[in-house]
Amino acid sequence: MQRGDTRAGWAGLLAFAFAFPFGVAGSLMIAPWVSILAILAFPVHAPFWRPERTPWALYGVAAFLGWALVSYLWSPHDDPGQIWRTGLGVPLYILFAIRVGQVDRVWQRRIEAAMLFMVIALGLFLLSEAVFDGASTRGFKLAAEDNPDQSEFGINILVNRSLGHATVPLLLMCMPVALISWREGGPVIGVFVLLLGAVASFSFDTEVNMVAFVLGSIAAALAAFWPRTMMASLFGLLAGSVIVLPLILPGLIDVLPDSWRAALPASFEWRLQIWSYTGDLIREQPWIGYGLDASRPLSGEAEVFAFGRLHNVEVLPLHPHNATLHVWLETGAVGAALLAGVLVALGGRIAAAQQLSRLQAVGVAWVVVVYVTLIVFSYGVWQEWHQGTVALAATSVFFLAARKPGRP
């Protein structure tokens, strides 16, 4: 047993036990809870901090994070809150996943049980909400949040948004927990967990969750056949996308036939206008970007045809709804290059790891592709609620490592 395993074990148990009610409430409280528990599990023994044990990817993360925080100096956004939420939050999320992911076998078993409780309980709740049209969440929105004057359409949007957020922890964790169940001789439980994840992902009018589930399934299948090759290829592809996609995306949007764009749902058309506008901004200041959280004041207006009439909408609502554009817009080419370097180093580290098992490769592919899909098509890069949730998913992936060194 490592020193501090008891504290780390309790941190893991409490994290996954409370992830269920926090997930039901829309997942926003997961991040501060994980941060508090990372402090509880903080390793005080010197061997944990030996420099020779530190992966190069962590130095890259520190460089990218430092550049992003420094970029606030030239940002037009005058609220420094994001500096503290990102600058303190991200290191704590990483620390939580690494430390809890290294607990001894006894604590690992206990935490795995808490993981199973969390995904099944959250999955059953979301199944109930899908069957009964979000009855519990709707009642809360109407009563506790004091929304009696909202139209039915507005309430439906609030309900589906909350349930779509609640699905994210289940979506990220259903595959790793299913793989843990499979490894321990419970394939039926694993299949049941995946079914709960699928039902939730295809409910609540949240298209990005559907896309994430499909792409995650494809990536997981490829990793099952070619685990190490898939790890290196996946992270290399992501690194290339960070550099190239923001440069070519506006041009690709411009050449889309009008008939194709007219056939798109209103939300997709709005997304294309956001990306085009963001691309224009990037071209005006490509090297160092506009600074941390600059997306908030850099907005304008556009028109989107929906429900039989034109609607005035923001052309940059809070963030670009695309992680690669978001990184380029706020941290420029410097930030994009640093992030690409992190992805290359991380992919090489995982692909070469002695204890990488086939099941762990599948879990890594699932979590990475699902998370990337969410932030490339919907959420902002700096939103802490899903960063904290990824820390939980990463912890479950650590538990899938081979119990003895060896190649899969």
Side-chain angles (χ1 to χ4, degrees):
M1 177 184 292
Q2 298 185 56
R3 289 178 59 188
D5 263 5
T6 299
R7 287 185 295 108
W10 274 109
L13 284 178
L14 292 170
F16 289 101
F18 280 87
F20 163 56
F22 290 159
V24 167
S27 303
L28 299 183
M29 286 299 297
I30 289 178
W33 183 235
V34 170
S35 299
I36 292 170
L37 294 174
I39 296 172
L40 170 64
F42 193 89
V44 295
H45 50 292
F48 184 88
W49 300 101
R50 285 183 299 182
E52 63 270 17
R53 296 182 54 189
T54 305
W56 281 104
L58 284 182
Y59 293 115
V61 169
F64 170 70
L65 192 60
W67 173 256
L69 299 180
V70 168
S71 73
Y72 178 77
L73 295 175
W74 56 87
S75 172
H77 189 56
D78 58 1
D79 181 3
Q82 196 63 59
I83 294 176
W84 307 110
R85 290 191 295 271
T86 300
L88 294 176
V90 171
L92 287 174
Y93 307 144
I94 294 173
L95 177 63
F96 175 90
I98 293 175
R99 183 63 193 93
V100 177
Q102 293 179 354
V103 295
D104 69 8
R105 191 68 57 81
V106 174
W107 277 110
Q108 180 178 329
R109 295 282 190 179
R110 294 167 180 166
I111 296 172
E112 286 173 352
M115 290 177 184
L116 188 60
F117 158 77
M118 173 248 172
V119 295
I120 291 180
L122 184 57
L124 290 175
F125 167 78
L126 292 170
L127 175 62
S128 173
E129 291 293 84
V131 171
F132 296 106
D133 194 27
S136 297
T137 305
R138 188 181 308 276
F140 182 82
K141 295 292 180 185
L142 289 171
E145 292 191 359
D146 193 24
N147 291 307
D149 298 329
Q150 280 271 14
S151 66
E152 183 178 354
F153 179 74
I155 290 293
N156 285 337
I157 291 177
L158 291 175
V159 168
N160 284 331
R161 180 183 300 158
S162 179
L163 292 172
H165 285 189
T167 299
V168 170
L170 175 63
L171 177 57
L172 281 164
M173 290 203 54
C174 63
M175 179 63 77
V177 172
L179 294 172
I180 290 172
S181 300
W182 180 283
R183 184 192 63 193
E184 301 302 326
V188 175
I189 296 175
V191 171
F192 179 62
V193 167
L194 286 177
L195 287 175
L196 290 176
V199 170
S201 299
F202 283 82
S203 304
F204 317 123
D205 294 332
T206 310
E207 291 86 357
V208 68
N209 289 344
M210 306 178 197
V211 176
F213 189 92
V214 172
L215 294 182
S217 299
I218 294 171
L222 293 174
F225 287 100
W226 303 285
R228 295 185 186 274
T229 301
M230 182 61 181
M231 293 298 96
S233 301
L234 174 60
F235 282 90
L237 178 62
L238 293 178
S241 299
V242 168
I243 299 297
V244 175
L245 189 59
L247 303 178
I248 66 173
L249 187 58
L252 294 176
I253 294 173
D254 290 340
V255 300
L256 281 176
D258 291 339
S259 58
W260 289 19
R261 293 187 65 159
L264 291 173
S267 61
F268 282 55
E269 171 59 24
W270 186 12
R271 197 65 45 87
L272 293 180
Q273 293 194 37
I274 294 170
W275 293 348
S276 293
Y277 179 75
T278 304
D280 292 339
L281 290 174
I282 290 172
R283 283 194 289 269
E284 294 173 8
Q285 192 163 317
W287 296 108
I288 62 173
Y290 292 83
L292 183 70
D293 249 10
S295 300
R296 292 177 179 271
L298 294 175
S299 192
E301 287 191 354
E303 290 186 334
V304 173
F305 185 80
F307 307 106
R309 64 186 181 90
L310 285 174
H311 296 262
N312 289 324
V313 296
E314 284 189 84
V315 76
L316 184 51
L318 299 182
H319 54 82
H321 292 72
N322 180 288
T324 61
L325 291 172
H326 200 165
V327 169
W328 269 85
L329 179 68
E330 297 188 3
T331 67
V334 175
L338 288 172
L339 180 57
V342 170
L343 291 169
V344 170
L346 186 59
R349 171 84 178 192
I350 294 173
Q354 276 193 322
Q355 287 186 278
L356 179 71
S357 67
R358 193 176 300 273
L359 291 182
Q360 189 177 46
V362 172
V364 170
W366 173 272
V367 171
V368 168
V369 171
V370 166
Y371 179 58
V372 167
T373 302
L374 294 176
I375 62 174
V376 164
F377 292 109
S378 187
Y379 304 123
V381 171
W382 314 121
Q383 288 180 310
E384 58 273 6
W385 70 269
H386 57 67
Q387 294 172 351
T389 305
V390 170
L392 299 182
T395 304
S396 65
V397 170
F398 275 113
F399 287 177
L400 288 166
R403 290 173 176 171
K404 292 182 180 180
R407 300 179 70 87

